[in-house]
């Protein structure tokens, strides 16, 4: 007698042709066709005129040649069409969505709709009414809406509501219904069933890395070079939803896996791509933002050692940047410096880095025995004490050392081995201006900081930092000298900040106390530095670099919002932390910590190991 063993049935996703429906009750095949058709018509509408006058930025009056915001809508329409075809199972196209295309087409259609309707509304508001729209503007509004309706009609697994307590009040029942509705909306954008991607040969993976880096350089160059406010807002909308669509499709996860297998190649390629940035600019206007972003990113990476690896909450870290900047400016030949000396750059760098390191040890030695909020309050106090002290060393309230609120001005440009950083130079037919010269210098310093971070993070002391961060009591019980380990982290982080400060002093010409506030509208300051580390991903290299770039670029471009700038920026951060609490580029441990046990495998699978 034999016993037949049957495997338990597992729920499967509905077939492609099944009449499953999404939010609007439209059958799935109809929704896919509507999304694909709406995407195609949206692309076609970008080749029509959207307004009759060139007064709206970007000149959207030309037929047959998209410009300005039309280009962004065109890209969104192409993504929507491709993901809709992949969701329909079209051969050759479905490979672009290895994790399923249903969620990706929803996000792509939403980004296209948001960008198109923002443009139409901006034209109407700035030019004085809907009468200023040409047929192309009306068509793109209808087609993008149709694509979004079709995308939201794709099937999704509707979550079962929790039972309602019959004794609940009316307010509690209403809150329960709202919570269930929110879960339903989240399920509508959930990822589809994953499809494994075939392994690629090494040469193909290297080619993929080149494409990724080229795409990253193109997106960054386009974002930093947006010449008017409406174009940058549209760029934020499309870039945000477009990245989310690629993420849901599984492309970001596979890209992460490929770059993870070739870390050294990816890192070297990233620096090469960054070095090409000044050659994409015709003048120093946007190269200026580039060098400030590198300074901010380098300091954020140094703070990542303190916060991300060692777990020490430092709210006054910008003071170490100021110590390095003041030390370098005092010995670099400034006419307002009380010291009549002009050291070469290598000596000024050493003085700035060592001065910050000494201050890090002096501040850390008596305070690092504190933990948590107490340590944060002490470091916040140190940052304010530094700024107030620098403001008082003016010869009246104290010794004449920092020239008070006027600061150290007229810091001369660097001259290294006869290369004047303040003069333009011709390289391969391209004219490289002052800020481009400093951009290359900061790129070298960033490479040094990245090398220090990688080596220290993978060393014995780096493992001790992580142990202290996770559980200091357990680490102490295992024989780790907690105070010494934390002091080393504090000193190394301070030294790296001082290194960047020496370059900042020469780039800005002037070093003043107001540059080193705890919080402000424009970074670098301690609040933005900490936000860059948390937003980008604590304990990683790419995370703080990307987070710092976003946190410097976005406030700089959103200055037209005036008093509402920080409000809009704060709302964006809240939303990002709600949907991406582990950061943009999280490490493996963070992905596990910020997701439930049931979601951990999916979180690891979609973002790579």
């Amino acid at each position: 007698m034999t016993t037949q063993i049957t495997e338990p049935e597992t729920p499967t996703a509905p077939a492609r042709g099944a009449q499953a429906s999404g939010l609007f009750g439209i059958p799935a095949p109809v929704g896919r066709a509507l999304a694909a058709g709406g995407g195609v018509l949206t692309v076609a509408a970008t080749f029509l005129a959207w307004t009759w006058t060139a007064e709206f930025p970007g000149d959207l009056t030309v037929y047959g040649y998209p410009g300005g915001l039309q280009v962004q809508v065109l890209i969104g329409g192409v993504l929507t069409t491709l993901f809709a075809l992949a969701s329909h199972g079209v051969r050759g196209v479905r490979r672009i969505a290895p994790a399923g295309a249903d969620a990706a087409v929803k996000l792509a259609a939403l980004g296209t709709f948001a960008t198109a309707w923002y443009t139409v509304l901006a034209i109407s508001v700035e030019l004085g009414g809907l009468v200023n729209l040409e047929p192309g503007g009306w068509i793109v509004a209808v087609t993008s809406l149709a694509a979004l309706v079709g995308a939201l009609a794709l099937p999704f697994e509707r979550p079962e509501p929790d039972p309602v307590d019959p004794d609940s009040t009316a307010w509690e029942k209403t809150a329960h219904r709202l919570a269930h509705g929110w879960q339903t909306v989240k399920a509508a954008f959930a990822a589809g069933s994953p499809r494994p991607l075939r392994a690629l040969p090494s040469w193909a993976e290297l080619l993929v890395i080149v494409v990724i880096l080229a795409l990253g350089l193109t997106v960054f160059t386009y974002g930093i070079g947006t010449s008017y406010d409406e174009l940058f807002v549209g760029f934020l909308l499309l870039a945000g939803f477009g990245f989310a669509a690629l993420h849901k499709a599984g492309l970001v996860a596979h890209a992460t896996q490929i770059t993870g297998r070739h870390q050294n190649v990816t890192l070297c390629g990233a620096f090469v791509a960054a070095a090409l940035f000044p050659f994409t600019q015709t003048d120093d206007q946007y190269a200026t933002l580039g060098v400030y972003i590198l300074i901010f990113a380098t300091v954020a990476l140094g703070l990542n050692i303190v916060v991300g690896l060692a777990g020490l909450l430092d709210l006054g870290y910008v003071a170490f940047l100021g110590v390095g900047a003041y030390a370098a400016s005092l010995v670099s030949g400034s006419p307002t410096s009380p010291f009549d000396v002009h050291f070469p750059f290598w000596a000024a760098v050493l003085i700035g880095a060592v001065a910050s390191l000494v201050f890090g040890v002096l501040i850390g030695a008596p305070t690092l025995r504190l933990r948590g909020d107490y340590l944060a309050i002490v470091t916040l106090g140190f940052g304010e004490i530094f700024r107030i002290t620098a403001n008082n060393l003016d010869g009246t309230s104290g010794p004449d050392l920092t020239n008070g609120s006027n600061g150290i001005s007229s810091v001369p440009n660097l001259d290294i081995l006869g290369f004047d950083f303040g003069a333009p130079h011709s390289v391969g037919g391209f004219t490289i201006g002052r800020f481009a010269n400093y951009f290359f210098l900061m790129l070298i310093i960033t490479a040094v900081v990245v090398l220090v971070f990688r080596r220290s993070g993978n060393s014995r002391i780096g493992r001790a930092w992580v142990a202290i961060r996770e559980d200091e009591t357990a680490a102490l019980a295992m024989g780790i000298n907690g105070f010494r380990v934390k002091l080393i982290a504090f000193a190394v982080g301070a030294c790296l900040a001082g290194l960047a400060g020496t370059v900042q002093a020469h780039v800005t010409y002037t070093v003043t106390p107001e540059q080193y506030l705890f919080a402000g509208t424009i970074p670098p300051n301690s609040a933005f530095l900490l936000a860059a580390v948390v937003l980008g991903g604590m304990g990683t290299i790419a995370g703080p670099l990307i987070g710092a770039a976003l946190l410097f670029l976005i406030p700089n471009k959103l200055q037209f919002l005036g008093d509402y700038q920080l409000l809009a920026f704060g709302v964006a951060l809240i939303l990002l932390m709600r949907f991406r609490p582990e950061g943009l580029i999280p490490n493996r441990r963070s992905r596990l910590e910020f997701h439930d046990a049931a979601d951990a495998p999916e979180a690891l699978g979609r973002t790579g190991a």
Side-chain angles (χ1 to χ4, degrees), residues 476-491:
L476 295 177
M478 296 300 295
I480 296 177
N481 188 333
F483 174 76
R484 182 175 65 88
V485 167
K486 290 191 291 185
L487 187 61
I488 292 175
F490 219 70

Side-chain angles (χ1 to χ4, degrees), residues 21-43:
S21 60
L23 290 180
F24 300 110
I26 302 175
V30 177
R32 293 188 178 95
L34 186 59
V40 171
L41 293 178
T42 299
V43 172

Side-chain angles (χ1 to χ4, degrees), residues 129-155:
L130 295 174
V131 69
N132 294 283
L133 292 176
E134 287 289 291
W138 293 101
I139 292 173
V140 77
V142 174
T143 56
S144 61
L145 178 60
L148 179 62
V149 171
L152 294 180
L154 297 183

Side-chain angles (χ1 to χ4, degrees), residues 536-547:
M538 293 189 295
T540 64
I541 294 177
L545 297 179
I546 295 177

Side-chain angles (χ1 to χ4, degrees), residues 9 12 57 64 81 146 158 246 275 280 293 330 376 463 479 506 546 590:
E9 294 183 0
T12 57
T81 304
R158 189 183 301 272
L246 296 176
T280 64
I293 287 174
L330 289 173
R463 303 292 183 185
H506 293 84
I546 295 177
S590 296

Side-chain angles (χ1 to χ4, degrees), residues 214-241:
L215 181 62
L217 176 62
T218 302
V219 172
F220 177 76
T221 303
Y222 183 87
I224 203 173
T226 49
S227 54
Y228 50 94
D229 303 331
E230 295 84 355
L231 188 64
F232 184 73
V233 173
F235 167 76
L236 285 182
L237 291 173
L238 182 63
F241 285 108

